[in-house]
Amino acid sequence: MQVLLHLIDLGHTIGTFAICSDHHDDGVHGHAGGRAVDISTIDGHAVASPSSRSSVLIVDKALRNAGSLTPRQLISGGCGNVRDAEIMALCIPSAGFFGAGTISEHCNHIHVGY
């Protein structure tokens, strides 16, 4: 919840579609353990839309530089269901760590995990 409040404090409106549910059991450090959130909209733009690109970049950069709120996992493969190299480069620990399949699944939302 703190990360969502942090993004709101930065002036963003944030929509989510998975905090603790809507996922398989991903363990105590994931959604099932309440330590992950999927961001679906930023400032009124659905991450599933190409129009969200600039918002996704801004939020991903803010998350990478969030100090004590910097996530353990930031999975963001693109927007509008299309991969984007600049967005993928912001993944934590890296897009290569997660693999092509996982990155492709994250071109319509941003996964943030602690």
Side-chain angles (χ1 to χ4, degrees):
M1 234 10 155
Q2 284 180 310
V3 72
L4 296 175
L5 294 174
H6 172 69
L7 293 172
I8 291 167
D9 284 345
L10 292 176
H12 300 288
T13 56
I14 302 295
T16 65
F17 66 65
I19 295 178
C20 294
S21 62
D22 192 34
H23 273 70
H24 63 283
D25 185 357
D26 57 357
V28 297
H29 291 288
H31 294 278
R35 299 185 59 88
V37 61
D38 286 345
I39 296 173
S40 58
T41 62
I42 304 165
D43 301 332
H45 299 278
V47 178
S49 168
S51 69
S52 69
R53 185 176 189 276
S54 63
S55 296
V56 170
L57 285 166
I58 289 167
V59 165
D60 282 356
K61 288 175 184 177
L63 290 170
R64 285 190 66 87
N65 297 303
S68 64
L69 288 176
T70 300
R72 178 177 71 86
Q73 293 180 328
L74 177 59
I75 310 173
S76 187
C79 59
N81 292 306
V82 175
R83 285 181 175 197
D84 184 297
E86 189 175 0
I87 292 171
M88 288 188 303
L90 296 169
C91 285
I92 299 172
S94 70
F97 175 85
F98 296 110
T102 297
I103 293 300
S104 291
E105 292 171 356
H106 290 81
C107 292
N108 63 355
H109 69 283
I110 301 168
H111 170 90
V112 185
Y114 290 89

